[in-house]
Amino acid sequence: MGNLLYNYEEAVALILFSIGFMTLLFHKNLLRKLIGMNIMDSGVYLFLASMGYIYGRRAPIVENGDVSAVHYVNPVPASLVLTGIVVSVSVTAVMLSLAVRLYERYHTLNLDEIYAAARTRREHR
Amino acid sequence: MAEWVRFGISALFAAVGIFAFISAAVGAFRLDYVLSRMHATALADTVGIGAIAISAAIAAGVDFVTLKLLFSAAAMVLTSPVSTHMLAELEYRTGDELYKHVKFKVGKKWERLK
Amino acid sequence: MKKPKTQPETAKSSGTAASSIKKWLDFDLDIDSLPVPPPRESAEDDGGDETPLLSRIPKSAPRFVYTALAAICSIVLTATLILTVEGMPRYGEDQDYMDTVTYEYITHGMEYTGAVNIVAGIILEYRAFDTLGESFVLFCAVTCVLVLLRADSADSQPEDVVFRDLSHDAILRRTVRAIVPLVFMFGVYVLLNGHLSPGGGFSGGAVIGAGLVMVSAAYGGDVSGRIVSERVFKIVTTCALSFYCLGKSYTFFTGANGLHSIVGNGTPGDILSAGLILPLNVAVGMVVACTVYGIYRMFDKRSF
């Protein structure tokens, strides 16, 4: 099994990513797809943040002027996660507003019906 | 011996909290009507977070961390039912399917209106 | 509404700089020769087609093909990811190959940036350009939401807008009156302490934005419009992003050329230390608060 049993946190994060991906693919409702996207984002943050952890070390805030690198956790993945969270919030906001406009035009949130109505409306022109 | 008792109580509260979260997640995806889904997810914020905060407070002992934890959990338990209440109010005022799922009192009997 | 055809000739004949710039911008564009778009039909115009929607999807594979392909894709992705985890080094192990960048950040971070919080020093001093891009992403998001969701005053509001106005609810008002001062105080504390403890611009700005959302939800748009109106929103975001650009350009310039900059590092641990990290945190926090509040107002009232 290799390192799979020891890397349980990263494995759970990637399983969360796959669950979000499957939610994105299999549901036809627009809002369910958006929930799937958010689940994928949560999985990515957990994976990134758990990459930086080292046993027995503290959080990267300097205490008592001690700047030796063997006392602190890796701080670089934490700064990457900050960027990711902001991007996730922005994407969710734009996706939700697009869903509101789609609902106002087609009066349904089912992606198949929206696609059918858009296709036929284009052909009838 | 006292350490094991503390660990057991903390684990019990954590199990209650985890069960609340799992049932809320299952309910949010599988229930039909929006008020039922709200009933499920409101459980997660209050019971779930409260139970896990109490379990963490018991495990940490008497420390400054415990005070901060209980304060943040109290703020969560205070404000989450208000948000659920506002969503339910909105659904009550503007919902179309309310009459199919809710029973009203006609005279002395509770019955579902058509 | 045809413009006179002599307009391009008059632009070419006068040789001033303004007319040449105008000609360059127009790309020899003749407005009248563009094709006229067809008249816009109503949203419900189906051409009189009575067939149900789902049977109208033309010329595509049966439904189960898509489901099978999606299942295969998901299984392949999950298997690949789990195999990757199996090949990775152990979780929590001290890697000998921790790269020199991290070593440099931790050992020289505090003396170079003056910030006790190493992560704040990374995102606002070593990698400040990425944080500027993030603020731009937030600004773009709120602009997109504004473009998509703003309803003109000429559009008719739906009939149930009176019932949807829930701002006079007693439970909400009592709770908000009790909670909002604590929320703003906590938000300002998190915002100002970005270089000393976990926090900073993004989390502090989100908390302040949440406080504004609470005020708008409980007391209506008039009260919160006195704090953040559309004019205030535009001024605050523009000024915050401009300050970030100019201030950080100044420290980039002085740092790259070895000059002495007026923004010193101070003693680590003070509130007024770490160079430009505190003002940049405030700028980023303002952008985030306005973004969170603006997105809420767009979804709730369709206007600021």
Side-chain angles (χ1 to χ4, degrees), chain C residues 2-68:
Chain C
K2 286 182 80 61
K3 295 196 185 70
K5 281 275 191 212
T6 55
Q7 196 170 352
E9 280 89 304
T10 54
K12 284 187 195 114
S13 64
S14 64
T16 61
S19 67
S20 58
I21 289 177
K22 183 174 183 303
K23 195 175 65 160
W24 171 64
L25 283 177
D26 276 346
F27 281 103
D28 294 329
L29 180 72
D30 196 1
I31 306 277
D32 302 322
S33 65
L34 284 176
V36 178
R40 187 173 161 175
E41 47 198 51
S42 69
E44 299 302 322
D45 186 11
D46 275 352
D49 198 354
E50 291 294 330
T51 59
L53 273 177
L54 278 177
S55 60
R56 272 197 234 166
I57 305 179
K59 288 196 288 282
S60 64
R63 181 79 202 157
F64 73 91
V65 171
Y66 291 112
T67 316

Side-chain angles (χ1 to χ4, degrees), chain C residues 104-175:
Chain C
E104 166 80 20
Y105 284 163
I106 298 181
T107 52
H108 300 297
M110 199 171 81
E111 70 178 85
Y112 184 76
T113 68
V116 172
N117 186 4
I118 300 178
V119 176
I122 291 177
I123 63 171
L124 284 171
E125 185 78 27
Y126 284 109
R127 303 189 178 186
F129 203 55
D130 302 342
T131 312
L132 177 66
E134 265 181 75
S135 310
F136 280 146
V137 164
L138 276 173
F139 183 67
C140 275
V142 74
T143 311
C144 286
V145 173
L146 264 173
V147 162
L148 281 171
L149 284 187
R150 190 208 290 254
D152 298 332
S153 54
D155 285 356
S156 63
Q157 296 276 348
E159 296 91 36
D160 55 353
V161 70
V162 174
F163 296 110
R164 275 175 51 217
D165 186 15
L166 290 170
S167 63
H168 299 288
D169 198 49
I171 297 181
L172 188 60
R173 282 202 170 185
R174 299 294 290 251
T175 310

